[in-house]
Amino acid sequence: MDPHLHTETASDVDPRYSRQILFPPIGMEGQRKLGLGRVAIVGMGALGTVLANHMVRAGVGYVRIIDRDFVDKSNLQRQMLYDEEDAAATIPKSIAAAKRLQLVNSNVVIDPHVCDLNATNAEQLLHDVDVILDGTDNFAVRFLLNDVSMKLGIPWIYGGAVASRGVSLTIIPDRTPCLRCLFPQAPAAGTTDTCDTAGVIGGIIHVVASFQATEALKLLVGATEQLNLSMQQWDLWFNQNSAIRVSGAKKSDCPACAQKQYEYLDAHLESDTIQSLCGRNSVQIHPIIPSTQPLEYWEERLQPLGLVEKNRFLLKFHASEDIQIILFPGGRVLIQGTEDLIQAKSLYSRYIGM
């Protein structure tokens, strides 16, 4: 070997990755691949914050984080990137998370988006990544992720946690069953537990998200033969865990992966723009045509009608003692204090205008 030819060694790499490089399945080459990797994390709640923390600390080069919500004090028990100041200032989760993560690893490109992932923007936000990580809390968005995955050929890793129970599954287009092979339809509203109805303990969040994150690292370094393609289920409180083989569940008539019918990605109906957020006592209204009015416009318009609180990310209008209306740039609105779509539309029409 030419003694003048430079060979990369551990001393040439950021020492923060030294222990990860010592793990033979990653090593120097795997670390290089991680630095070139691109992931998107949809949902920056409990699972999303753990996922983002793992990706950024592992040195994944580009991490896009997407969330529509802001930090609330009830999040702090399990959503590890936020603090009391974030909650008091009503900071959007993506912004608060990005600020914290950049302090952890300034070499990683962190791309925060304060928005609702929906049929109008999903392909734009997810088309250029290597892996999609599920940090969401509802099946409608998961089916949307599944459609994007199947259409664009991008692997995604499903995860969910409630109470002390958790589940995860790695989904590879053209190789594994997709989510709709296993769940043809979303569960009916009110038929499944949520963190707001059944509670959640922090430990199960870390178990599920750590499994998802490890599967993502395998994909990014190319260790596809080591992927765990069974559906993993845990119940930490009652000491149960199982792995369900799903390889035989791939359906020849699946609308998404077999028939290439992307029903959730192609949806543009009112029912997709006005949603009751289960367990949140809130309704989200997302206008099909984005608003061009700045938050300052709404501050001036609504101040004579009630208390208005504004930061550079959102505006909160206290319509009554029980009803708050949260406006985001672009026109997306959360109406807190009701799950009734008719009442929410009436409030929206009254204060914002349909």
Side-chain angles (χ1 to χ4, degrees), residues 8-13 20-24 26-33:
E8 188 178 39
T9 67
S11 62
D12 301 312
V13 179
Q20 190 163 271
I21 290 169
L22 286 172
F23 179 60
I26 293 181
M28 292 289 297
E29 178 62 15
Q31 191 62 52
R32 185 190 69 81
K33 290 178 178 178

Side-chain angles (χ1 to χ4, degrees), residues 107-327:
N107 295 323
V108 171
V109 176
I110 300 167
D111 180 20
H113 290 260
V114 183
C115 66
D116 175 56
L117 190 84
N118 57 55
T120 67
N121 62 15
E123 285 190 74
Q124 178 185 354
L125 287 170
L126 302 175
H127 77 280
D128 59 349
V129 298
D130 303 307
V131 184
I132 301 167
L133 295 172
D134 171 24
T136 69
D137 59 3
N138 70 85
F139 264 86
V141 178
R142 290 175 180 133
F143 282 158
L144 180 62
L145 298 184
N146 191 73
D147 274 3
V148 172
S149 169
M150 296 304 109
K151 183 175 182 179
L152 303 181
I154 302 170
W156 76 286
I157 305 174
Y158 159 55
V162 66
S164 58
R165 307 185 303 276
V167 61
S168 185
L169 178 66
T170 300
I171 298 173
I172 313 295
D174 300 322
R175 178 177 173 186
T176 70
C178 79
L179 192 67
R180 292 199 69 185
C181 290
L182 302 171
F183 305 104
Q185 301 295 332
T191 62
T192 58
D193 287 333
T194 71
C195 293
D196 296 273
T197 59
V200 64
I201 59 173
I204 191 60
I205 300 299
H206 287 261
V207 169
V208 174
S210 294
F211 177 87
Q212 291 177 277
T214 303
E215 290 291 284
L217 295 184
K218 294 176 189 177
L219 285 165
L220 292 169
V221 304
T224 55
E225 72 283 355
Q226 298 300 328
L227 289 169
N228 187 331
L229 300 180
S230 296
M231 179 178 284
Q232 303 295 309
Q233 296 182 324
W234 303 269
D235 191 321
L236 293 189
W237 198 265
F238 296 101
N239 308 309
Q240 298 170 357
N241 64 278
S242 61
I244 303 172
R245 292 176 61 89
V246 296
S247 56
K250 191 170 178 62
K251 294 183 177 179
S252 60
D253 61 349
C254 173
C257 67
Q259 298 179 357
K260 309 300 182 184
Q261 296 174 0
Y262 308 117
E263 298 169 2
Y264 287 82
L265 191 54
D266 294 337
H268 293 283
L269 304 176
E270 182 184 83
S271 60
D272 299 296
T273 60
I274 303 178
Q275 302 170 318
S276 176
L277 304 184
C278 183
R280 292 285 306 279
N281 197 32
S282 300
V283 171
Q284 175 178 265
I285 299 179
H286 200 300
I288 295 174
I289 301 175
S291 169
T292 58
Q293 298 290 1
L295 294 179
E296 289 76 15
Y297 167 85
W298 294 108
E299 181 180 29
E300 181 178 351
R301 177 171 171 172
L302 294 173
Q303 268 184 339
L305 306 177
L307 175 64
V308 173
E309 302 173 81
K310 183 179 75 70
N311 58 35
R312 62 192 181 98
F313 307 109
L314 56 84
L315 179 147
K316 180 186 290 188
F317 168 59
H318 297 259
S320 69
E321 185 176 339
D322 301 318
I323 298 290
Q324 292 83 46
I325 299 176
I326 318 296
L327 291 91

Side-chain angles (χ1 to χ4, degrees), residues 1 22 62 70 73 81 90 111 155 229 256 259 286:
M1 178 181 292
L22 286 172
Y62 180 97
F70 51 86
K73 200 167 185 179
L81 293 178
T90 321
D111 180 20
L229 300 180
Q259 298 179 357
H286 200 300

Side-chain angles (χ1 to χ4, degrees), residues 45-46 49 70-88 93 96 100 202 206:
T49 52
F70 51 86
V71 182
D72 181 83
K73 200 167 185 179
S74 66
N75 303 147
L76 303 182
Q77 167 253 350
R78 65 199 180 280
Q79 299 184 16
M80 64 182 300
L81 293 178
Y82 312 129
D83 59 31
E84 292 180 352
E85 290 185 4
D86 296 326
K93 290 182 179 180
R100 194 65 41 81
H206 287 261

